[in-house]
Each structure stands twice: as structure tokens, then as C-alpha cells.
Amino acid sequence: MPSSQVPRNVLIWHVHGSWTESFVAGRHRYLVPVDAERDADGRGLAGRTWPQATEIPVGELSDTDVDLVVLQRPADIELVTRFCGRTPGIDVAAVFVEHNAPRPYAVDSVHPLADRSDIPLVHVTEFNELMWDNGSAPTRVIGHGVADRGSLYTGEVPAAAAMINEPVRRWRTVGADLLAPLSRHVPIEVWGMGTEGLEHDPRCGGEVRGRGDVSGAAVLDEVARRRVYLHTARWTSLGLSLLEAMCAGMPVVAVAATMAPLAVPPEAGVISADLGVLGEALARFVSDPAAAEVAGKAAREHALAHYGLDRFLAKWDRLIEEVCA
């Protein structure tokens, strides 16, 4: 077997579930730390079924052969040093995946690894790479990868669907304040952690319904029954939920912020910073199922071409070999 095909032992903390699910679908052996508390530093698989991933107690890490560490939080560097007895970038190969757009201000945000030339900094969008001050860190962009579950879209329910985690707490960041005014045009149903609180929040009136946190693939089945997908985030990385909805065949109406204008082509929906335009687009798709279906097909084609899982894993394979070599 050529060296480029040798599976590596990759240590990765379970930080972002959807992204991790795509990442561990590759051909390597993925070691996911677990502790007795199953807290943020030892969540393990958290009930997920990932065939290539194995839970490993943090107490066993020092005796475990690790080829590559995937860092996702600045604190992960200290965790690797403490539990593995090795320094990332020096004693063991490492990459840092930056999932987030810089906060609070792009112009003043220096990345925590900006002075580390020994650890590649991998951004999940070109927007993030541009907005962060990366200093001397070598950077790479590897966009999201989405598994294709087929065209799930039926659009039988004349309403808009959104997927937003913790909208009440994250409010303006995720554009939760836009839900009420947009719901004057069409009913809006929202899935995700903490969405039940939307209906009890005095800031959110109108035809907005929180549907709660539906686990696994079931949520996309429900979302795809709605006529159009709504993406309201003001300042975030490109959400996997948006790409999953596109891959399912849903037309999109999205706020023109961060990476969304580059991820959603004009034929797949409407992208705008004008609330009136967004509302009219929602109403048009809900009232015209044929137009919604055409845009949804374009969204699916674009998502498969640009955010397919095979392409994502192939790019990671090349980087993993490069760093481990």
C-alpha cells in the first residue's frame, strides 16, 4: 500500500457534532477523548454512530500512538500537552480548525495561533480566512462537506423552515430578531436547541413556532416538508444546516452576510440585506410551489458540486498526509 494511502491515527475532540460527523467519515482511525463527566473536554461520541471513530479515555492518551492532533479550541493545545505529554506542532503533528468568524470585530481580531508557524490554520470558509488576522500561521481553506441523503424536498407545508441553535441566547448574531417581521409574510418554523423558548420570548411575536431539538437525520426530513428554507445569520461561519437544506433540494432565502452570498447561487433562491426583499421572496416561494421546486433543484445541484462529502474528505486526506509527512 502506498504511503499516501496509510490510515493515520487522528486525535480529535468532539466539539462541533455535524462537522465532526463529516470529518470522521474518512478512511483514518479517529480517536475521540472521553472522560467520566462526559463534559466539553471528554464528550466522546455522545451517542453518535461513527464507524471509523473510537472513544478513548483521556487517561490512556499518554500511551496511545497519535499521528495527528486536530485542534479546534485554543485550550486544546493545553489538553494535548496534559493528557498526551506531547506539545502540538513540536512533538506531534497538529492542525487547528477554525470554525468561527472573528469576534467582536474583524479588523481587530488576531487569531490565537497567529504566531505559530508550526501549526497549519484551517478555515472552514474563505470569508473566515479573510476576516481573521492570521499572522504568520500557514493557512488553508477546506470548506464543509455534506453527506448526500438524496432529494428529500416535498414542500408540502406552505411555511418557511429554519434551523438555529439557541436563538434566544444568540439573538442578533443568528438573526433571531428577524424572524418576527419576516413571519408577517409567511409562517416560520424553527428547529434547534432552545427553539421552544422563541414562543415565550416577548421579542419574538408573529407566526414563529419553535419545534425543538430533533436529533439526527429526522430533523431534515421535517424541514424538507416546508416550502422554503430561511437562513438569518448575521455573523457566523457558513452553517452546515444551510448546506444540508440545499442538498435536500430546498430553495433558499438568506440574509446577505458572511459566506452566504457566495454559497447560494442566484438560481437557488434569494440573498438580500433588505428585509422587504427577503419577506417578498418567502411569500413568492410559498405561493408558487413550481418556482420553489425549480430553485430547490438548483440549490441541490450547487451543494453537491461544491460541498460534497467526497471532495471534503479528499482535501483533508491531502492535508493530513502533508502534515504527517
Side-chain angles (χ1 to χ4, degrees), residues 13-64:
W13 269 263
H14 184 172
V15 176
H16 295 277
S18 296
W19 182 89
T20 306
E21 182 162 337
S22 294
F23 182 76
V24 302
R27 60 182 178 83
H28 301 282
R29 294 182 289 266
Y30 305 94
L31 309 175
V32 184
V34 63
D35 58 24
E37 295 78 15
R38 291 191 175 268
D39 55 18
D41 294 336
R43 187 174 289 132
L45 300 184
R48 306 292 186 100
T49 302
W50 295 335
Q52 293 294 97
T54 303
E55 288 186 346
I56 180 167
V58 293
E60 297 179 13
L61 287 174
S62 61
D63 297 320
T64 300

Side-chain angles (χ1 to χ4, degrees), residues 7-234:
R8 302 289 187 172
N9 291 334
V10 179
L11 177 63
I12 178 169
W13 269 263
H14 184 172
V15 176
H16 295 277
S18 296
W19 182 89
T20 306
E21 182 162 337
S22 294
F23 182 76
V24 302
R27 60 182 178 83
H28 301 282
R29 294 182 289 266
Y30 305 94
L31 309 175
V32 184
V34 63
D35 58 24
E37 295 78 15
R38 291 191 175 268
D39 55 18
D41 294 336
R43 187 174 289 132
L45 300 184
R48 306 292 186 100
T49 302
W50 295 335
Q52 293 294 97
T54 303
E55 288 186 346
I56 180 167
V58 293
E60 297 179 13
L61 287 174
S62 61
D63 297 320
T64 300
D65 181 24
V66 174
D67 297 308
L68 175 72
V69 176
V70 177
L71 310 165
Q72 300 171 82
R73 304 164 295 181
D76 287 352
I77 296 175
E78 189 275 330
L79 291 177
V80 174
T81 303
R82 177 166 24 123
F83 291 122
C84 300
R86 282 161 276 184
T87 302
I90 298 175
D91 304 316
V92 60
V95 298
F96 189 104
V97 179
E98 182 50 71
H99 295 280
N100 301 311
R103 295 178 186 172
Y105 310 111
V107 293
D108 298 323
S109 294
V110 179
H111 197 276
L113 267 71
D115 62 347
R116 294 291 299 262
S117 60
D118 54 345
I119 299 179
L121 182 51
V122 184
H123 291 281
V124 297
T125 70
E126 288 84 359
F127 181 89
N128 283 9
E129 183 187 39
L130 182 67
M131 292 298 110
W132 276 106
D133 178 350
N134 300 299
S136 60
T139 63
R140 188 80 59 92
V141 176
I142 299 182
H144 291 305
V146 181
D148 180 18
R149 295 185 51 221
S151 181
L152 305 176
Y153 180 64
T154 65
E156 63 201 80
V157 180
M163 289 186 274
I164 307 172
N165 282 327
E166 300 185 75
V168 173
R169 180 182 67 83
R170 299 165 70 198
W171 201 244
R172 283 182 55 83
T173 299
V174 295
D177 60 302
L178 306 178
L179 295 172
L182 289 174
S183 74
R184 299 190 189 110
H185 299 268
V186 299
I188 299 174
E189 301 179 54
V190 188
W191 281 260
M193 293 184 291
T195 52
E196 302 91 334
L198 284 171
E199 296 175 44
H200 307 292
D201 193 297
R203 299 171 295 176
C204 192
E207 288 292 316
V208 179
R209 297 290 176 266
R211 297 304 188 192
D213 185 20
V214 179
S215 62
V219 64
L220 200 56
D221 292 331
E222 282 299 313
V223 168
R225 295 180 58 229
R226 275 64 191 173
R227 189 73 45 83
V228 58
Y229 187 77
L230 173 63
H231 180 70
T232 57
R234 275 192 180 87

